[in-house]
Amino acid sequence: MTNPNEFADRYVALWNESDPAARRKAVEELWAPEGSYFNFLAESKGHQEIAAQIGYAHDAYAVGGFAFRSSANAVGHHGTLRFNWVMVAADTGALEAVGFDFVVLDDQGRITADYQYIDTPPSYTVPPPAAA
């Protein structure tokens, strides 16, 4: 496995990626093709669904002026990794939310299962999707 904090930094940077093609490429580099992502509201499987879920989260929080940062506290062993991240106001750095991810990695160091937990939920309310 690569350095756990380097992995977490790459993972968290993905959630700030505004370009859909670059975001999809990063998902393909970080997740195994059959990989999964789970949070308390969503379950995404495979690169397409995971990239779409991350794109949705990016768009929902970026419009509110937020960005994600790694907490630089990643630890891992036996093909797993745990790390915290924070959501902050992009302009001031004010803390908005705290969470962590627990990931299971394959032999190539790619995510097969990603479980996201929120320790401190955001006060920011995600706007509803735009009408088609």
Side-chain angles (χ1 to χ4, degrees):
M1 175 186 355
T2 63
N3 175 294
N5 280 319
E6 289 175 8
F7 186 94
D9 290 348
R10 287 176 44 222
Y11 177 96
V12 174
L14 166 61
W15 295 78
N16 295 312
E17 179 56 61
S18 59
D19 177 42
R23 189 167 41 234
R24 173 64 186 249
K25 182 177 187 295
V27 165
E28 291 171 358
E29 292 170 355
L30 286 169
W31 270 268
E34 70 284 355
S36 299
Y37 163 77
F38 306 96
N39 69 27
F40 68 98
L41 293 174
E43 178 177 318
S44 304
K45 295 186 179 185
H47 291 158
Q48 182 174 336
E49 286 183 18
I50 294 167
Q53 178 62 37
I54 293 171
Y56 168 77
H58 171 273
D59 295 348
Y61 290 109
V63 74
F66 296 101
F68 298 93
R69 304 284 182 257
S70 172
S71 295
N73 67 345
V75 294
H77 60 82
H78 295 91
T80 65
L81 192 63
R82 182 201 188 282
F83 54 91
N84 286 87
W85 49 266
V86 295
M87 186 173 85
V88 299
D91 58 348
T92 67
L95 184 66
E96 175 65 17
V98 177
F100 78 89
D101 280 65
F102 177 80
V103 299
V104 179
L105 305 171
D106 66 12
D107 291 340
Q108 288 78 44
R110 295 176 302 170
I111 300 168
T112 60
D114 175 4
Y115 300 91
Q116 183 184 81
Y117 299 86
I118 307 297
D119 292 331
T120 304
S123 61
Y124 175 76
T125 303
V126 173

